[in-house]
Amino acid sequence: ELMGYAQLSEGKVERLNFRDELKQSMVEVFPDHAKFEVKARTKIDGDLPALMMQRGHLREILLNLLVNAREACNNGQLVRINARTTRDFSIKFSVKDEGKGIASDHLERVFEAYFSTKKKGTGLGLAIVKQNIELYGGTIDVESELEKGTEFVITLPTRALKQT
C-alpha cells in the first residue's frame, strides 16, 4: 500500500462499467461465505456512463471505502451504496454507514497520509482514495456524526460528451 501511494500513475486507462466494478468489489468486501453481520445495500439509478480510468484506481477507491464502512459498523448495521449520473454526465456515488461516526476533530484529517484512528491502520487508505479520485478530476466529501455514521460522496467525471 505504501509503495502504491508513492508510485507515479502507471497503467492502462480503460472504459469501465461502474456497476460491474462495484459488484466485484462488493463480492470481495462482503463475500457470502464470510457471514458478516453487517449488510450492504446498493441502489444504482438508471444506466451509468462508462468511466475512463485505470481499473486498479477505481478498485482501490471502492475497496477502501467499502472496507472502512464495514469495519465502522456493528452487527446488524447497514452500509448503503448509491450511484447516479449527474447533469454533467459525471457519476456521483456515496458510501454511507450506520457506524460509530468520526469525531469532528478527526474529520478534517481523514484524508491525510498516515493519519488513522484504527489500532492497526496505516493511515493510507483514504489518502489513496482521495489521490485516485483527484487524479481523474473528481471530488470526495465526507460528512459524519458520532453514533449516527459516516457518508463519503464521490463524483467522478466520465468524460462523456454533453448532449445539446
Side-chain angles (χ1 to χ4, degrees):
E1 225 179 335
L2 178 59
M3 293 306 292
Y5 183 70
Q7 280 181 338
L8 293 173
S9 173
E10 293 180 16
K12 186 173 86 173
V13 171
E14 300 177 60
R15 198 174 163 86
L16 302 176
N17 180 307
F18 181 83
R19 187 183 304 263
D20 292 346
E21 297 302 319
L22 176 61
K23 185 177 180 181
Q24 182 60 39
S25 296
M26 295 290 290
V27 168
E28 289 182 44
V29 177
F30 296 95
D32 289 336
H33 66 276
K35 304 289 188 230
F36 285 112
E37 296 297 323
V38 175
K39 301 298 177 201
R41 301 283 181 266
T42 60
K43 179 183 175 195
I44 299 177
D45 294 342
D47 290 330
L48 301 177
L51 287 168
M52 295 301 294
M53 60 191 302
Q54 291 179 30
R55 178 171 277 112
H57 289 158
L58 181 57
R59 190 62 57 87
E60 281 182 319
I61 292 166
L62 293 171
L63 291 176
N64 274 302
L65 292 173
L66 292 171
V67 167
N68 284 353
R70 185 193 71 208
E71 290 177 350
C73 289
N74 293 317
N75 290 346
Q77 291 182 322
L78 190 62
V79 174
R80 288 184 174 87
I81 302 95
N82 294 310
R84 65 180 176 83
T85 306
T86 64
R87 290 173 54 154
D88 69 351
F89 300 97
S90 293
I91 292 178
K92 185 172 195 167
F93 70 98
S94 64
V95 177
K96 183 175 185 175
D97 66 62
E98 297 176 342
K100 53 190 168 257
I102 302 169
S104 59
D105 58 324
H106 291 158
L107 199 56
E108 61 194 37
R109 299 188 63 205
V110 295
F111 298 114
E112 286 179 20
Y114 309 112
F115 176 78
S116 179
T117 58
K118 296 178 184 180
K119 289 181 180 169
K120 293 187 178 182
T122 63
L124 290 176
L126 289 175
I128 291 169
V129 165
K130 185 173 176 39
Q131 175 183 291
N132 285 350
I133 290 167
E134 290 177 348
L135 187 63
Y136 296 94
T139 61
I140 182 168
D141 295 301
V142 59
E143 290 184 19
S144 188
E145 190 174 340
L146 287 177
E147 305 309 321
K148 300 230 172 153
T150 302
E151 181 176 26
F152 287 90
V153 179
I154 297 89
T155 303
L156 287 171
T158 60
R159 308 291 192 252
L161 295 175
K162 291 183 182 180
Q163 304 294 317
T164 55

